[in-house]
Amino acid sequence: MNTLNSPQTRADRILDTIERDAICPRSRYLFLCQNSLLWLAWVLSIALGAVTIAVLNTGLMHGMYGLFEATHDSWMGLTLVLVPYVWLPVFAFLVLLSLYNMRHTATGYRYPAWQVVGSSVLLSLFFGIVLYWLGLGHAVDKMVGSAMPMYPSQERIEEKLWQQPVQGRLVGAYVPESRQGSIVRFVDAAGAAWEVETADLAPTDLSILETGQRVRVLGVLKPEQFAHFHACGVFPWLVGLPMPLSALNEEREAFIERVYEHRRVAVERLATLEAETYGQNGAKPPMGDCAETPAAKRIEAMYMQ
Amino acid sequence: MAHSAQAAHWRFPGILQGMEASSAVRLSDLSDEALIPCVLADKTCFAELVGRYEQPLMRYLNRLGVRSAEDQEDLLQEIFIKVYRNLNSFDQSLKFSSWIYRIAHNETMSWYRKVRVRPEGYLVADPEELMRLIPAGEPSADAQFDATVDSQLVNDALQALPEKYRTVLILRFFEHKEYEEISDILRIPVGTVGTLVYRGKQRLAALLSEKMDV
């Protein structure tokens, strides 16, 4: 477009173009909508971030800390299982999305990236914890778990960890009125029926077992008998319940106390028997199934030396 | 049709606060921001805005490396049309000049991308001013900047700078914009502007030293 030799002023040429092409200023509402949509997108990314935090929190709060000696050799092993591989990248993506949205609002560029990212993370954390307490974290975790078979929902992780009879862990529910002496019938998470020996259980364990709710059972598989499990401790199935730190601590204390009790009683009994029989044939009596579980040994090694 | 002559005085009932209805206003007395409602009501008032910004924007395009008069004219026309089309998006918390420079900057960058050419060198109108500014905060470099530095040298050094530094230095030292204005023009935080200016000056000083040694 060569307009350099035109006698008109530049302003006149521009106004002629505006008139000729019927150019009009775009509506104020268009810009208002655009800006509002960007803010809405920012709010949405924060809201989704909060849901992500709620799910992350569900995983972390139900992270099997309380009973970690029952399932893992060390904290490191537990930590590797607990890293929320799915939700951490999702959260990072949402934080970046919030930065992008904020930066594209009319005035969002004025804030440094660290402020936008920091405020997004803090807001997501705050609302995420609120949503966790409202139970949304578990609901989303469960929903995604049922929609995607590959997704490691908290329920799936914990079920997989506790449905390990060979390693002395079982998850399932007591069959009501099935007691015969110290043996009860029990159906595990896979639907298999078990005979569970409850002779070594403390009254607390028995009361938890007999609620008929889903429970976690720590014990010993008796290979010499078909589908026979010797129970040493019973713990409630907590997935889906809000877990304050105090509840986690209580769970842990109860676990250590009950599992160590087996070890303590066995050591005392062993000492007594050794005193009675020492020198006769030199053979040491067994300590008992529950005192020999890996969990009892780990707890003794960690706390009782 | 000479629209600009028509628009020299404008009657607008009650648009500006404190103004008597139907009073005649000299457009040249109005601020840029106050002109916007006039333009929205009567497009001929746009001539006043064009008149105010054609020379500064032409100079800015020149500094950004658009050298051909024809390209400058086309680009300027596109910039003003875009300004007119987007008048309603002007945010009153900004200075109008920052907003129009932002459009000019973005249009120029888009134009470079479209025509796929590199800027044809940067025009430094006042190298002495830059020479005064560059050594600020760099006392050891003072001695290196003397009268032997000519504008060609500064142009070459400026051209060798990465785009992000070059743009802020042009806006800061040749367009004399404040940090807040540069922030609004380039849509970056003020702190980032400060960092870019500081690093840009350091790099430019280093480049000039190299060129002067050669």
Coordinates of all heavy atoms in Angstrom, one line a residue, chain B residues 10-83:
Chain B
W10 N -14.7 20.1 19.1 CA -15.7 19.0 19.2 C -16.8 19.4 20.2 O -16.4 19.8 21.3 CB -15.1 17.7 19.5 CG -15.9 16.5 19.2 CD1 -16.4 16.1 18.0 CD2 -16.5 15.6 20.1 NE1 -17.2 15.0 18.1 CE2 -17.3 14.7 19.4 CE3 -16.5 15.5 21.5 CZ2 -18.0 13.7 20.0 CZ3 -17.1 14.5 22.1 CH2 -17.9 13.6 21.4
R11 N -18.1 19.2 19.9 CA -19.1 19.4 20.8 C -19.6 18.0 21.3 O -20.0 17.2 20.6 CB -20.3 20.1 20.1 CG -20.0 21.5 19.8 CD -21.2 22.2 19.1 NE -20.9 23.5 18.8 CZ -21.0 24.5 19.7 NH1 -21.4 24.2 20.9 NH2 -20.7 25.7 19.4
F12 N -19.5 17.9 22.6 CA -20.0 16.6 23.2 C -20.7 16.8 24.5 O -20.2 17.4 25.4 CB -18.9 15.5 23.3 CG -17.7 15.9 24.1 CD1 -17.5 15.3 25.3 CD2 -16.9 16.9 23.6 CE1 -16.3 15.7 26.0 CE2 -15.7 17.2 24.3 CZ -15.5 16.6 25.5
P13 N -22.0 16.5 24.4 CA -22.8 16.8 25.6 C -22.5 15.9 26.8 O -22.8 14.7 26.7 CB -24.3 16.7 25.1 CG -24.2 15.8 23.9 CD -22.8 15.9 23.4
G14 N -22.0 16.5 27.8 CA -21.9 15.8 29.1 C -21.0 14.6 29.2 O -21.1 13.8 30.1
I15 N -20.1 14.4 28.2 CA -19.3 13.2 28.3 C -18.2 13.4 29.3 O -17.8 12.6 30.1 CB -18.7 12.8 26.9 CG1 -19.8 12.2 26.0 CG2 -17.5 11.9 27.0 CD1 -19.3 11.9 24.6
L16 N -17.6 14.6 29.2 CA -16.6 14.9 30.2 C -17.2 15.5 31.5 O -18.1 16.4 31.4 CB -15.6 15.9 29.6 CG -14.8 15.3 28.5 CD1 -13.8 16.4 28.0 CD2 -14.0 14.1 28.9
Q17 N -16.7 15.1 32.6 CA -17.3 15.5 33.8 C -17.0 17.0 34.0 O -15.9 17.5 33.6 CB -16.7 14.8 35.0 CG -17.3 13.4 35.1 CD -16.7 12.7 36.4 OE1 -15.6 13.1 36.9 NE2 -17.4 11.7 36.8
G18 N -17.9 17.8 34.6 CA -17.7 19.2 35.0 C -17.7 20.1 33.7 O -17.3 21.2 33.8
M19 N -18.2 19.5 32.6 CA -18.2 20.4 31.4 C -19.7 20.7 31.1 O -20.5 19.9 31.2 CB -17.6 19.5 30.3 CG -17.2 20.4 29.1 SD -16.2 19.3 28.1 CE -14.7 19.3 29.0
E20 N -19.9 21.9 30.8 CA -21.2 22.3 30.4 C -21.7 21.6 29.2 O -20.9 21.4 28.3 CB -21.3 23.9 30.2 CG -21.3 24.6 31.5 CD -21.4 26.1 31.2 OE1 -22.0 26.5 30.2 OE2 -21.0 26.9 32.1
A21 N -23.0 21.3 29.2 CA -23.5 20.6 28.0 C -23.3 21.4 26.8 O -23.4 22.7 26.8 CB -25.0 20.3 28.2
S22 N -23.0 20.7 25.7 CA -22.9 21.4 24.4 C -21.8 22.4 24.3 O -21.8 23.2 23.4 CB -24.2 22.0 23.9 OG -25.2 21.1 23.9
S23 N -20.8 22.3 25.3 CA -19.7 23.3 25.2 C -18.7 22.8 24.1 O -18.6 21.6 23.9 CB -19.1 23.4 26.5 OG -18.5 22.2 26.9
A24 N -18.1 23.7 23.4 CA -17.1 23.4 22.4 C -15.8 23.2 23.1 O -15.4 24.0 24.0 CB -17.0 24.5 21.4
V25 N -15.1 22.1 22.8 CA -13.9 21.8 23.5 C -12.8 21.7 22.4 O -12.9 21.1 21.3 CB -14.0 20.4 24.2 CG1 -12.6 20.0 24.8 CG2 -15.1 20.4 25.2
R26 N -11.6 22.3 22.8 CA -10.5 22.2 21.9 C -9.9 20.8 22.2 O -9.4 20.5 23.3 CB -9.5 23.3 22.1 CG -9.8 24.6 21.4 CD -8.8 25.7 22.0 NE -7.4 25.3 21.8 CZ -6.7 25.6 20.8 NH1 -7.3 26.3 19.8 NH2 -5.5 25.2 20.7
L27 N -9.8 20.0 21.1 CA -9.3 18.6 21.4 C -7.9 18.6 21.9 O -7.5 17.7 22.6 CB -9.4 17.8 20.1 CG -10.9 17.5 19.6 CD1 -10.8 16.7 18.3 CD2 -11.6 16.7 20.7
S28 N -7.1 19.6 21.4 CA -5.7 19.6 21.8 C -5.6 19.8 23.3 O -4.5 19.6 23.8 CB -5.0 20.6 21.0 OG -5.6 21.9 21.1
D29 N -6.6 20.3 23.9 CA -6.5 20.6 25.4 C -6.8 19.3 26.2 O -6.5 19.3 27.4 CB -7.6 21.6 25.8 CG -7.2 23.0 25.2 OD1 -6.0 23.2 24.8 OD2 -8.1 23.9 25.1
L30 N -7.3 18.3 25.5 CA -7.7 17.1 26.3 C -6.5 16.2 26.4 O -5.7 16.1 25.5 CB -8.8 16.4 25.5 CG -10.2 17.1 25.5 CD1 -11.2 16.2 24.6 CD2 -10.7 17.3 26.9
S31 N -6.5 15.4 27.5 CA -5.5 14.4 27.7 C -5.8 13.2 26.7 O -7.0 13.1 26.2 CB -5.5 13.9 29.1 OG -6.7 13.2 29.4
D32 N -4.8 12.3 26.5 CA -5.1 11.2 25.7 C -6.3 10.4 26.2 O -7.1 9.9 25.4 CB -3.9 10.3 25.7 CG -2.6 10.9 25.0 OD1 -2.8 11.9 24.3 OD2 -1.5 10.4 25.3
E33 N -6.2 10.2 27.5 CA -7.3 9.3 28.1 C -8.7 9.9 28.0 O -9.6 9.3 27.7 CB -7.0 9.1 29.6 CG -5.7 8.2 29.9 CD -4.4 8.9 29.7 OE1 -4.4 10.2 29.6 OE2 -3.3 8.3 29.5
A34 N -8.7 11.3 28.1 CA -10.0 12.0 27.9 C -10.5 12.0 26.5 O -11.7 12.2 26.2 CB -9.9 13.4 28.5
L35 N -9.5 11.8 25.6 CA -9.9 11.8 24.2 C -10.7 10.5 23.8 O -11.4 10.5 22.8 CB -8.7 11.9 23.3 CG -8.3 13.3 22.7 CD1 -7.0 13.2 22.0 CD2 -9.4 13.8 21.8
I36 N -10.4 9.5 24.5 CA -11.0 8.2 24.1 C -12.5 8.2 24.0 O -13.1 7.8 23.0 CB -10.5 7.0 25.0 CG1 -9.0 6.9 24.7 CG2 -11.2 5.7 24.7 CD1 -8.3 5.9 25.6
P37 N -13.2 8.8 25.0 CA -14.7 8.8 24.8 C -15.1 9.6 23.6 O -16.1 9.3 23.0 CB -15.2 9.5 26.1 CG -14.1 9.4 27.1 CD -12.8 9.3 26.3
C38 N -14.3 10.7 23.3 CA -14.7 11.5 22.1 C -14.5 10.7 20.9 O -15.4 10.7 20.0 CB -13.7 12.7 22.0 SG -13.6 13.6 23.5
V39 N -13.4 9.9 20.8 CA -13.2 9.1 19.6 C -14.3 8.0 19.5 O -14.8 7.8 18.4 CB -11.8 8.4 19.7 CG1 -11.6 7.5 18.5 CG2 -10.7 9.4 19.8
L40 N -14.7 7.5 20.6 CA -15.8 6.4 20.6 C -17.1 7.0 20.1 O -17.9 6.4 19.5 CB -15.9 5.8 21.9 CG -14.8 4.8 22.3 CD1 -14.9 4.4 23.8 CD2 -14.7 3.6 21.4
A41 N -17.3 8.3 20.4 CA -18.5 9.0 20.0 C -18.4 9.5 18.6 O -19.4 9.6 17.9 CB -18.9 10.1 21.0
D42 N -17.2 9.9 18.2 CA -17.1 10.5 16.9 C -15.7 10.2 16.4 O -14.7 10.7 16.9 CB -17.2 12.1 17.0 CG -17.0 12.8 15.7 OD1 -16.7 12.1 14.7 OD2 -17.1 14.0 15.7
K43 N -15.7 9.4 15.3 CA -14.3 8.9 14.9 C -13.4 9.9 14.4 O -12.2 9.7 14.3 CB -14.5 7.7 13.9 CG -15.2 8.1 12.6 CD -15.2 6.9 11.7 CE -16.1 7.0 10.5 NZ -17.5 6.9 10.8
T44 N -13.9 11.1 14.0 CA -13.0 12.1 13.4 C -12.1 12.6 14.5 O -11.0 13.1 14.2 CB -13.8 13.3 12.9 OG1 -14.7 13.9 13.9 CG2 -14.7 12.9 11.7
C45 N -12.5 12.5 15.8 CA -11.6 12.9 16.9 C -10.3 12.0 16.9 O -9.3 12.4 17.6 CB -12.3 12.7 18.3 SG -13.7 13.8 18.5
F46 N -10.4 10.9 16.2 CA -9.2 10.0 16.2 C -8.0 10.7 15.5 O -6.9 10.4 15.8 CB -9.6 8.7 15.5 CG -8.6 7.6 15.6 CD1 -8.1 7.2 16.9 CD2 -8.0 6.9 14.5 CE1 -7.2 6.2 17.1 CE2 -7.1 5.9 14.7 CZ -6.7 5.5 16.0
A47 N -8.3 11.6 14.7 CA -7.3 12.4 14.0 C -6.3 13.0 15.0 O -5.1 13.1 14.8 CB -7.9 13.4 13.1
E48 N -6.9 13.5 16.1 CA -6.1 14.2 17.1 C -5.1 13.2 17.7 O -3.9 13.5 17.9 CB -7.0 14.7 18.2 CG -6.3 15.4 19.4 CD -5.5 16.6 19.1 OE1 -5.8 17.3 18.0 OE2 -4.5 16.9 19.8
L49 N -5.6 12.0 18.0 CA -4.7 10.9 18.6 C -3.6 10.6 17.6 O -2.4 10.4 18.0 CB -5.5 9.7 19.0 CG -6.1 9.7 20.4 CD1 -6.9 8.4 20.6 CD2 -5.1 9.9 21.5
V50 N -4.0 10.4 16.3 CA -3.0 10.1 15.3 C -2.0 11.2 15.2 O -0.8 10.9 15.2 CB -3.7 9.9 13.9 CG1 -2.7 9.7 12.8 CG2 -4.7 8.7 14.0
G51 N -2.4 12.4 15.2 CA -1.5 13.5 15.2 C -0.5 13.5 16.3 O 0.7 13.8 16.2
R52 N -1.0 13.2 17.5 CA -0.1 13.2 18.7 C 1.0 12.1 18.6 O 2.1 12.2 19.1 CB -0.9 13.0 20.0 CG -1.7 14.2 20.3 CD -2.4 14.0 21.6 NE -3.5 15.0 21.8 CZ -4.2 15.1 22.9 NH1 -4.1 14.3 23.9 NH2 -5.1 16.0 22.9
Y53 N 0.6 10.9 18.1 CA 1.5 9.8 18.2 C 2.2 9.4 16.9 O 3.1 8.5 16.9 CB 0.7 8.6 18.7 CG 0.5 8.7 20.2 CD1 -0.6 9.2 20.8 CD2 1.6 8.4 21.1 CE1 -0.8 9.4 22.1 CE2 1.4 8.5 22.5 CZ 0.3 9.0 23.0 OH 0.2 9.2 24.3
E54 N 1.9 10.0 15.8 CA 2.5 9.5 14.5 C 4.0 9.7 14.5 O 4.8 8.8 14.2 CB 1.9 10.2 13.3 CG 1.9 11.7 13.2 CD 1.1 12.2 12.0 OE1 1.0 11.5 11.0 OE2 0.7 13.4 12.1
Q55 N 4.5 10.8 15.0 CA 5.9 11.0 15.0 C 6.7 10.2 16.0 O 7.6 9.5 15.7 CB 6.3 12.5 15.3 CG 5.9 13.4 14.1 CD 6.4 12.9 12.7 OE1 7.6 12.4 12.6 NE2 5.5 12.9 11.7
P56 N 6.2 10.1 17.3 CA 6.9 9.2 18.3 C 6.9 7.8 17.8 O 7.9 7.1 18.0 CB 6.0 9.4 19.6 CG 5.3 10.7 19.4 CD 5.1 10.9 18.0
L57 N 5.7 7.3 17.2 CA 5.7 5.9 16.8 C 6.6 5.7 15.6 O 7.2 4.6 15.5 CB 4.2 5.5 16.6 CG 3.3 5.4 17.8 CD1 1.9 4.8 17.4 CD2 3.9 4.5 18.9
M58 N 6.6 6.6 14.7 CA 7.5 6.5 13.5 C 8.9 6.3 14.0 O 9.7 5.5 13.5 CB 7.3 7.7 12.7 CG 8.0 7.7 11.4 SD 7.3 6.6 10.2 CE 6.2 7.6 9.3
R59 N 9.3 7.2 15.0 CA 10.6 7.1 15.5 C 10.9 5.8 16.2 O 12.0 5.2 16.0 CB 10.8 8.3 16.6 CG 12.1 8.8 16.7 CD 12.2 10.0 17.6 NE 11.5 9.8 18.9 CZ 10.5 10.6 19.4 NH1 10.2 11.7 18.7 NH2 9.9 10.3 20.5
Y60 N 9.9 5.3 16.9 CA 10.0 4.0 17.6 C 10.2 2.9 16.6 O 11.1 2.0 16.8 CB 8.8 3.8 18.5 CG 8.9 2.5 19.3 CD1 10.1 2.3 20.2 CD2 7.9 1.6 19.3 CE1 10.1 1.2 20.9 CE2 8.0 0.4 20.1 CZ 9.1 0.2 20.9 OH 9.2 -0.9 21.7
L61 N 9.4 2.9 15.5 CA 9.5 1.9 14.5 C 10.9 1.9 13.9 O 11.6 0.9 13.7 CB 8.5 2.1 13.4 CG 7.0 1.9 13.7 CD1 6.2 2.0 12.5 CD2 6.8 0.6 14.4
N62 N 11.4 3.1 13.7 CA 12.7 3.3 13.1 C 13.8 2.7 14.1 O 14.7 2.0 13.6 CB 13.0 4.8 13.0 CG 13.8 5.1 11.8 OD1 14.2 4.3 11.1 ND2 14.1 6.4 11.7
R63 N 13.6 2.9 15.3 CA 14.5 2.4 16.3 C 14.4 0.8 16.4 O 15.4 0.2 16.8 CB 14.3 3.0 17.7 CG 14.9 4.4 17.8 CD 14.6 5.0 19.1 NE 15.3 6.3 19.0 CZ 14.9 7.4 19.6 NH1 13.7 7.3 20.3 NH2 15.5 8.5 19.6
L64 N 13.3 0.3 16.1 CA 13.1 -1.1 16.2 C 13.6 -1.7 14.9 O 13.6 -3.0 14.7 CB 11.6 -1.5 16.4 CG 11.1 -1.3 17.8 CD1 9.6 -1.7 17.8 CD2 11.8 -2.1 18.8
G65 N 14.1 -0.9 14.0 CA 14.8 -1.4 12.8 C 13.9 -1.5 11.5 O 14.4 -2.0 10.5
V66 N 12.8 -0.9 11.5 CA 11.9 -0.8 10.3 C 12.4 0.5 9.6 O 12.1 1.6 10.0 CB 10.4 -0.7 10.6 CG1 9.6 -0.7 9.3 CG2 10.0 -1.8 11.6
R67 N 13.2 0.3 8.5 CA 13.8 1.4 7.9 C 13.1 1.9 6.6 O 13.2 3.1 6.4 CB 15.3 1.0 7.5 CG 16.2 0.9 8.7 CD 16.3 2.2 9.5 NE 17.0 2.2 10.7 CZ 18.3 2.0 10.7 NH1 19.0 2.0 9.6 NH2 19.0 2.0 11.9
S68 N 12.5 1.0 5.9 CA 11.9 1.5 4.7 C 10.7 2.4 5.0 O 9.8 2.0 5.8 CB 11.4 0.2 3.9 OG 10.2 0.5 3.2
A69 N 10.6 3.5 4.3 CA 9.6 4.5 4.6 C 8.2 3.9 4.3 O 7.2 4.1 4.9 CB 9.8 5.7 3.7
E70 N 8.2 3.0 3.2 CA 6.9 2.4 2.8 C 6.5 1.4 3.9 O 5.3 1.4 4.3 CB 7.2 1.6 1.5 CG 5.9 1.5 0.7 CD 6.2 1.0 -0.7 OE1 7.1 1.5 -1.3 OE2 5.6 0.0 -1.1
D71 N 7.4 0.6 4.4 CA 7.1 -0.3 5.5 C 6.6 0.4 6.7 O 5.6 0.0 7.4 CB 8.3 -1.2 5.9 CG 8.6 -2.2 4.8 OD1 7.7 -2.5 3.9 OD2 9.8 -2.7 4.8
Q72 N 7.3 1.5 7.0 CA 6.9 2.3 8.2 C 5.5 2.8 8.1 O 4.7 2.8 9.0 CB 7.9 3.5 8.4 CG 9.2 3.1 8.9 CD 10.1 4.3 9.0 OE1 9.8 5.4 8.6 NE2 11.3 4.1 9.6
E73 N 5.2 3.3 6.9 CA 3.9 3.9 6.6 C 2.8 2.8 6.8 O 1.8 3.0 7.4 CB 3.8 4.5 5.2 CG 2.6 5.3 4.9 CD 2.5 6.5 5.9 OE1 3.6 7.1 6.2 OE2 1.4 6.9 6.3
D74 N 3.0 1.6 6.1 CA 2.0 0.5 6.2 C 1.8 0.1 7.7 O 0.7 -0.1 8.1 CB 2.5 -0.7 5.4 CG 2.4 -0.4 3.9 OD1 1.7 0.6 3.6 OD2 2.9 -1.2 3.1
L75 N 3.0 0.0 8.4 CA 2.9 -0.5 9.7 C 2.2 0.5 10.6 O 1.4 0.1 11.5 CB 4.4 -0.7 10.2 CG 4.6 -1.7 11.3 CD1 3.8 -3.0 11.1 CD2 6.1 -2.1 11.4
L76 N 2.5 1.8 10.4 CA 1.9 2.8 11.2 C 0.4 2.8 11.0 O -0.4 3.0 12.0 CB 2.5 4.2 10.8 CG 2.6 5.2 11.9 CD1 3.3 4.7 13.1 CD2 3.3 6.4 11.4
Q77 N 0.0 2.6 9.8 CA -1.5 2.6 9.4 C -2.1 1.4 10.2 O -3.2 1.5 10.8 CB -1.6 2.5 7.9 CG -3.1 2.2 7.5 CD -3.6 3.2 6.6 OE1 -3.0 4.3 6.4 NE2 -4.8 2.9 6.0
E78 N -1.4 0.2 10.1 CA -2.0 -1.0 10.8 C -2.1 -0.7 12.3 O -3.0 -1.1 12.9 CB -1.1 -2.2 10.5 CG -1.3 -2.8 9.2 CD -0.3 -3.9 8.8 OE1 0.0 -4.6 9.8 OE2 0.0 -4.1 7.7
I79 N -1.1 -0.1 12.8 CA -1.1 0.2 14.3 C -2.2 1.1 14.7 O -3.0 0.8 15.6 CB 0.3 0.8 14.7 CG1 1.4 -0.2 14.6 CG2 0.2 1.4 16.1 CD1 2.8 0.4 14.6
F80 N -2.4 2.1 13.9 CA -3.5 3.1 14.3 C -4.9 2.4 14.1 O -5.8 2.7 14.9 CB -3.4 4.4 13.5 CG -2.4 5.3 14.1 CD1 -1.2 5.7 13.4 CD2 -2.6 5.8 15.4 CE1 -0.3 6.5 14.0 CE2 -1.7 6.7 16.0 CZ -0.5 7.0 15.3
I81 N -5.0 1.6 13.0 CA -6.3 0.9 12.8 C -6.6 0.0 14.0 O -7.7 -0.1 14.5 CB -6.3 0.1 11.5 CG1 -6.2 1.1 10.3 CG2 -7.5 -0.8 11.4 CD1 -7.4 1.9 10.0
K82 N -5.5 -0.7 14.4 CA -5.6 -1.6 15.6 C -6.0 -0.9 16.8 O -6.8 -1.4 17.6 CB -4.4 -2.4 15.7 CG -4.5 -3.6 16.7 CD -3.5 -4.7 16.5 CE -3.9 -5.9 17.3 NZ -3.0 -7.0 17.2
V83 N -5.4 0.3 17.0 CA -5.7 1.1 18.2 C -7.2 1.5 18.2 O -7.9 1.3 19.2 CB -4.8 2.4 18.2 CG1 -5.3 3.4 19.2 CG2 -3.4 2.0 18.5

